[in-house]
Amino acid sequence: MKVKVKLVPGEKEVNVQFKKSKIRIMDILEDLGIDRETVLVLVHGELTPEEEYVTDGDEVEILQVISGG
Amino acid sequence: MVLIFEKEVFKSMINDCKVKKPLEACGVIVGKCSGDKRMALRIYEATNILRSPIKYEIDPETLLRAFKESEEGGLKVLGFYHSHICREATPSPMDKEKACYKGYIYVIVSLDKDGVKAYVWDGESFEEEPIIVKS
């Protein structure tokens, strides 16, 4: 399975490939070494929980959250 | 560069910070760039989902709406603002730790101390940027 991933900020795009056919968003984050707590994930522009499965060819956008103190 | 606020936009940002006291306020700043000027044309007042007087996180819905609507409207997200309660308008250690939007503006509003200051995150540190409020 292949998924196109756009990272914000930076507008960098990566194609992530998996052997397994059933992939969840959390698997993508883990594969990219991204801490789930620090990002929002959109699939086709919609805010999507990390437990959700993605399908082949999906467009995923990973947005860093804005925080501080 | 210099950050230029429309007067009403600046007033709305300050008011949001006052209204949200004693919690830290936060939001998104939208506008456009022109030469060495960043024009702040609109803000999105957000919910601080941490509901804290010493730390903040912008709610996802507001962040996404700001990115989406600005793109659709031919504008762009310039950066973000948050307030400091009883502290200077200087980036805190947590501000530095959490900053990740390189090249974006981080505005800090200190209602009790030294007013409003803007900083650009260059990927490693904050560089102060002058603010002008149009009259």
Side-chain angles (χ1 to χ4, degrees), chain A residues 10-21:
Chain A
E11 276 49 48
K12 189 173 138 197
E13 286 197 6
V14 292
N15 284 308
V16 185
Q17 196 121 17
F18 293 90
K19 291 193 180 77
K20 292 193 289 184
S21 58

Side-chain angles (χ1 to χ4, degrees), chain A residues 9 42 63-64 66-69, chain B residues 54 56 58 84 92 95 98 101:
Chain A
L42 312 169
L63 218 69
Q64 289 283 340
I66 313 299
S67 62
Chain B
I54 58 170
Y56 77 96
I58 291 178
H84 275 179
S92 65
D95 286 328
K98 301 287 189 181
Y101 277 71

Side-chain angles (χ1 to χ4, degrees), chain B residues 26-44:
Chain B
C26 55
V28 185
I29 301 170
V30 165
K32 55 187 176 185
C33 291
S34 168
D36 67 346
K37 299 181 186 68
R38 299 180 212 264
M39 321 283 285
L41 303 174
R42 178 178 179 180
I43 59 165
Y44 286 74

Side-chain angles (χ1 to χ4, degrees), chain B residues 57-127:
Chain B
E57 180 172 324
I58 291 178
D59 69 282
E61 291 71 22
T62 301
L63 184 60
L64 298 179
R65 191 160 53 86
F67 268 105
K68 211 176 217 181
E69 290 180 0
S70 57
E71 205 169 293
E72 287 162 357
L75 299 176
K76 61 186 278 187
V77 170
L78 298 178
F80 319 97
Y81 70 86
H82 72 284
S83 58
H84 275 179
I85 312 295
C86 304
R87 284 182 294 150
E88 281 78 16
T90 309
S92 65
M94 188 178 288
D95 286 328
K96 292 169 186 169
E97 178 199 327
K98 301 287 189 181
C100 55
Y101 277 71
K102 188 176 176 181
Y104 286 70
I105 282 278
Y106 287 75
V107 170
I108 301 176
V109 177
S110 167
L111 296 171
D112 318 285
K113 298 226 184 248
D114 52 353
V116 185
K117 292 186 179 176
Y119 305 85
V120 181
W121 176 249
D122 68 7
E124 288 176 16
S125 64
F126 283 109
E127 291 292 325

Side-chain angles (χ1 to χ4, degrees), chain B residues 13-31:
Chain B
M13 180 176 69
I14 299 301
N15 187 62
D16 181 43
C17 295
K18 285 179 179 173
V19 164
K20 301 279 177 65
K21 278 182 84 167
L23 302 182
E24 283 201 352
C26 55
V28 185
I29 301 170
V30 165

Side-chain angles (χ1 to χ4, degrees), chain A residues 11-55:
Chain A
E11 276 49 48
K12 189 173 138 197
E13 286 197 6
V14 292
N15 284 308
V16 185
Q17 196 121 17
F18 293 90
K19 291 193 180 77
K20 292 193 289 184
S21 58
K22 284 187 75 83
I23 295 297
R24 287 172 302 178
I25 287 173
M26 61 175 71
D27 300 319
I28 295 172
L29 296 177
E30 199 172 299
D31 189 78
L32 295 173
I34 295 174
D35 177 358
R36 304 178 203 171
E37 297 299 318
T38 65
V39 292
L40 307 172
V41 181
L42 312 169
V43 178
H44 298 307
E46 294 305 319
L47 197 56
T48 307
E50 61 197 29
E51 299 80 18
E52 290 286 314
Y53 286 88
V54 291
T55 53

